[in-house]
Amino acid sequence: MNSDTNNKKMLMIICLAFSMMIVVQVTIVDVANALTRYFNCTTRVANSNSTFSIDNAEACYDRVFKGALDNDRYGNPLGNR
């Protein structure tokens, strides 16, 4: 009886550890892909119209990094919060 309880506890600990590892991995991979998406966006814009300006770079940045939409160019929040 005691062995059965220990097996259930061990299985629960293993499942929890695997779940946490999956969450951490997904978080890390998503952040790493964001920079690649930004470079792809800037390359696509530069190749499409043969010119590239800071406005194009900021538009790509705002599109890829969604948290930048409510900030000014220095990273300060816009408006009253």
Side-chain angles (χ1 to χ4, degrees):
M1 183 83 170
N2 193 15
S3 176
D4 196 32
T5 305
N6 287 339
N7 287 340
K8 286 183 181 180
K9 286 181 182 180
M10 186 63 85
L11 183 61
M12 188 174 1
I13 291 171
I14 290 172
C15 289
L16 182 64
F18 279 126
S19 299
M20 292 300 292
M21 287 187 333
I22 289 171
V23 168
V24 168
Q25 182 179 10
V26 167
T27 304
I28 291 171
V29 169
D30 186 44
V31 172
N33 286 335
L35 193 55
T36 301
R37 288 193 308 262
Y38 173 72
F39 286 134
N40 289 342
C41 178
T42 56
T43 303
R44 191 178 323 109
V45 170
N47 287 338
S48 68
N49 59 5
S50 299
T51 59
F52 190 74
S53 67
I54 193 69
D55 293 332
N56 294 341
E58 288 177 355
C60 284
Y61 185 85
D62 290 342
R63 196 174 311 134
V64 173
F65 300 102
K66 303 293 186 200
L69 290 175
D70 295 331
N71 295 331
D72 65 5
R73 68 172 64 176
Y74 304 109
N76 300 321
L78 296 174
N80 295 330
R81 290 186 184 191

